[in-house]
Amino acid sequence: MSERRPYTRPIDEDWWKKPPYLSYTARELSGIAVTIYGGVLFTGLFSLWRGPESYNAFLRFLQSPLSLLLNLLLLAVVVYHVVTWFQTLPKTMPKMIVDGKQVPAAKITQIATLAAGGSSLLLILLTMWVAR
Amino acid sequence: MSEAATLTKTVELRILRYLPASDESPSFRSFQVPYSDDMSVLQALQTIKDTLDATLSFRWSCRMAVCGSCGMMINGEPRLACNTFLRNLPPGPVTVEALKNFPIERDLVVSVGDFVKKIESIYPYIIPKEPKTVAQGTYLQTPAQLAAYESFSDCINCMLCYAACPQFGENPDFIGPGAMALLQRYNGDSRDGGQQKRLDAIAGEDGVWSCTAVGICSEVCPKHVDPANAINQNKTNSAFDFFLHYLRKDAAQ
């Protein structure tokens, strides 16, 4: 007679709080900061559409200490999101084969991160040039 | 150090034991094993079975990280017992449990039936684009075409990636990292023409879409297969297929 009685262990509901999964959780949560950043941008566009008074109020809000603090915090979290996003990038794209050899994941991450940093800098310079 | 002095040093193994005939549920039991510098966790388990408790059950075969039989949780991490050395583990007791996310058959032995079914479900063989007779010669491949899928062919079916995957833990019907690596091994092969069949098999919640790119599957892989890459490439393929399948001539209605 078979003594088979497979035992199924209960699922660990808190897996996302523990390493090594915690870094995944942090990466995904940092996406919320990207949404909030988008929200700030859209609020600006909306107030621009509503007229000069509304837009000036928006600008005053941006210059307030609370907004500066919020933006600093958001910037830090978004930078974290960008960095970890590009660390994940090699896992999400088709293998890159150059000269019959696979391009290492670290190289892809490096190039993508530099490209993102470079284009952000370019955008800032362009904005400063337009606003001069 | 003399040999006698080396042998007096012992290491404690805390092993999650489960004997279906007598135990209601698994519980830990400790064993003291003579320690030596070159000892793997597998050797420690074999010492226990040979000298302390012959009822201890675990799977093993090759002892050199090729067969994929001895996957288990060592100090909470999915690892092969044969290439995990006691000297590399932190001092103190070593915890050994059956692979997470799988039902335990007995002690460190888990049920693999579902995994084998998943492997079978993705057409794990080359379906030639244009069938050739022997007289017509061999199928040729460039080094670049080989490199496109080669790493995925290194999978040894050890299931460590499944033990590392929280989404497989939540949904045991999820096709999972290992089977997807094997799928990409064939889908990425320039000689293969079975991509559509395999894509149809993995569309949906139990296919690629249970994956949330946690990525730990690739980190625990002892053969650097990168199953997370296989799954995420096929999320893209599956999404394209969803939008394009109405345009295909052979579209299933």
Side-chain angles (χ1 to χ4, degrees):
Chain A
M1 198 188 87
S2 170
E3 287 176 348
R4 257 198 92 199
R5 198 160 54 82
Y7 182 87
T8 304
R9 286 161 284 182
I11 301 169
D12 179 11
E13 303 280 354
D14 294 339
W15 60 266
W16 55 274
K17 288 183 197 165
K18 300 172 189 165
Y21 305 104
L22 193 59
S23 59
Y24 154 79
T25 310
R27 183 190 83 205
E28 297 294 306
L29 277 179
S30 64
I32 294 173
V34 180
T35 317
I36 299 175
Y37 242 151
V40 172
L41 192 68
F42 277 111
T43 311
L45 275 176
F46 184 65
S47 54
L48 190 64
W49 170 75
R50 282 182 59 187
E53 207 168 297
S54 168
Y55 188 63
N56 285 331
F58 173 71
L59 288 183
R60 272 197 304 280
F61 166 72
L62 280 189
Q63 286 158 357
S64 70
L66 177 74
S67 156
L68 286 175
L69 190 73
L70 181 76
N71 270 275
L72 211 61
L73 192 74
L74 283 179
L75 181 67
V77 184
V78 169
V79 167
Y80 177 82
H81 189 78
V82 169
V83 170
T84 51
W85 169 252
F86 287 123
Q87 281 166 356
T88 315
L89 177 72
K91 286 197 176 87
T92 62
M93 55 184 271
K95 285 190 187 301
M96 276 180 78
I97 312 289
V98 176
D99 293 334
K101 278 193 194 123
Q102 192 186 329
V103 181
K107 188 100 199 157
I108 296 173
T109 301
Q110 198 185 6
I111 293 171
T113 312
L114 282 175
S119 38
S120 298
L121 195 69
L122 207 67
L123 193 66
I124 291 170
L125 291 176
L126 193 74
T127 315
M128 284 169 76
W129 182 71
V130 168
R132 100 202 109 101
Chain B
M1 213 191 289
S2 74
E3 201 177 320
T6 320
L7 285 177
T8 50
K9 202 174 159 189
T10 63
V11 60
E12 182 186 342
L13 267 80
R14 280 181 74 238
I15 300 177
L16 190 69
R17 301 218 52 192
Y18 172 62
L19 302 172
S22 55
D23 298 349
E24 197 48 48
S25 61
S27 57
F28 281 100
R29 242 202 88 187
S30 279
F31 296 92
Q32 293 286 341
V33 184
Y35 171 91
S36 70
D37 260 353
D38 58 354
M39 203 176 207
S40 64
V41 172
L42 178 62
Q43 279 172 292
L45 292 173
Q46 287 168 327
T47 308
I48 295 171
K49 191 166 177 75
D50 290 345
T51 61
L52 299 172
D53 189 343
T55 66
L56 181 67
S57 297
F58 51 95
R59 288 197 176 106
W60 66 280
S61 178
C62 77
R63 319 179 315 285
M64 49 192 198
V66 171
C67 76
S69 302
C70 65
M72 50 190 74
M73 306 303 288
I74 298 170
N75 287 346
E77 274 178 50
R79 310 196 57 147
L80 296 179
C82 68
N83 74 349
T84 304
F85 289 87
L86 292 175
R87 63 169 184 269
N88 294 332
L89 298 175
V94 177
T95 308
V96 183
E97 299 157 82
L99 268 186
K100 210 165 88 180
N101 300 338
F102 290 98
I104 304 179
E105 290 286 347
R106 180 187 164 108
D107 292 340
L108 303 172
V109 176
V110 295
S111 316
V112 297
D114 279 352
F115 173 64
V116 174
K117 280 204 191 92
K118 282 172 186 167
I119 290 232
E120 286 170 351
S121 76
I122 52 101
Y123 307 94
Y125 40 83
I126 286 182
I127 303 170
K129 262 186 207 140
E130 331 149 35
K132 276 183 174 182
T133 61
V134 176
Q136 283 172 300
T138 50
Y139 294 91
L140 298 177
Q141 201 160 52
T142 65
Q145 286 171 330
L146 174 67
Y149 72 86
E150 194 180 16
S151 74
F152 296 123
S153 71
D154 289 338
C155 175
I156 55 172
N157 299 333
C158 66
M159 310 191 298
L160 296 195
C161 50
Y162 283 81
C165 176
Q167 301 301 352
F168 173 65
E170 305 261 358
N171 173 20
D173 292 328
F174 171 35
I175 184 113
M180 285 305 300
L182 191 67
L183 177 139
Q184 191 53 30
R185 180 257 168 272
Y186 291 103
N187 270 8
D189 192 317
S190 59
R191 300 163 294 182
D192 185 85
Q195 283 86 356
Q196 194 54 52
K197 267 180 125 165
R198 296 195 192 92
L199 267 183
D200 291 342
I202 50 106
E205 193 68 35
D206 295 337
V208 278
W209 298 106
S210 266
C211 171
T212 56
V214 180
I216 307 295
C217 53
S218 289
E219 280 171 38
V220 301
C221 177
K223 309 306 273 186
H224 309 292
V225 168
D226 202 356
N229 178 243
I231 304 184
N232 284 289
Q233 277 194 55
N234 282 293
K235 278 189 199 165
T236 316
N237 296 342
S238 180
F240 270 124
D241 184 59
F242 175 79
F243 290 113
L244 296 177
H245 92 279
Y246 295 104
L247 304 174
R248 282 203 318 265
K249 282 186 196 140
D250 61 338
Q253 295 306 311

